[in-house]
Structure formats: C-alpha cells, structure tokens
Amino acid sequence: PASAALTPEQEDDLNRDMLMQLQLSGEAVPSHGVVDGRFVLRIAITNHRTTDADLDLLLTRCGEIGRALMAGASAGGDRRTA
C-alpha cells in the first residue's frame, strides 16, 4: 500500500490534511476521531437522504486528495495544495 512508506505520524498528518481539504471543498464534511492514538476520519451518516452515490463520491475524493497530497509530499511540495 502507498502508506507503507509513511510513519504513523505522517499518516496522521495526511489524514488531517485530507480532512481539511474535504471540509474546505464543501463536498463532504467529515469529522475526526482518535482510535488507538491515531487520527482518523469519521463520517456520521444520519441523513436519510444520503445515497450510495454520496458515499462513492466521498471515497473517490478521499483517494484523489490522498494521492495528490502524497505526490506533493514526495515532490517536496506542500501537501496542503490538493
């Protein structure tokens, strides 16, 4: 997996950056949590109008943002520009 080259701290930072990108885009508004000391993205699906397409979009955007952040980090750039 792509994250195999990251330390746990770097993975946590990546998740923080991904959360910020998602929230700023307005495409999704997940929150976060800490599980076993690790920063994780958290989604709460309480709206009865949530569709499979909404969840597909969220997962797609997480992948896109994560890849862009990783590419920026490996190129020595700022990860926060996805």
Side-chain angles (χ1 to χ4, degrees):
S3 64
L6 297 178
T7 66
E9 293 79 16
Q10 289 170 320
E11 288 177 352
D12 290 349
D13 288 344
L14 183 72
N15 281 339
R16 282 185 186 90
D17 293 343
M18 186 182 310
L19 176 66
M20 182 176 61
Q21 291 288 327
L22 284 167
Q23 290 177 340
L24 289 174
S25 75
E27 294 172 299
V29 188
S31 62
H32 73 279
V34 177
V35 177
D36 292 331
R38 302 297 308 279
F39 187 93
V40 297
L41 300 183
R42 177 181 174 275
I43 60 169
I45 305 168
T46 58
N47 188 329
H48 67 281
R49 293 184 184 101
T50 300
T51 65
D52 288 345
D54 295 325
L55 299 175
D56 288 342
L57 173 64
L58 174 60
L59 293 175
T60 297
R61 287 299 293 141
C62 283
E64 292 169 352
I65 292 168
R67 283 187 294 277
L69 291 169
M70 290 290 293
S74 65
D78 185 352
R79 288 192 323 248
R80 294 182 177 100
T81 57

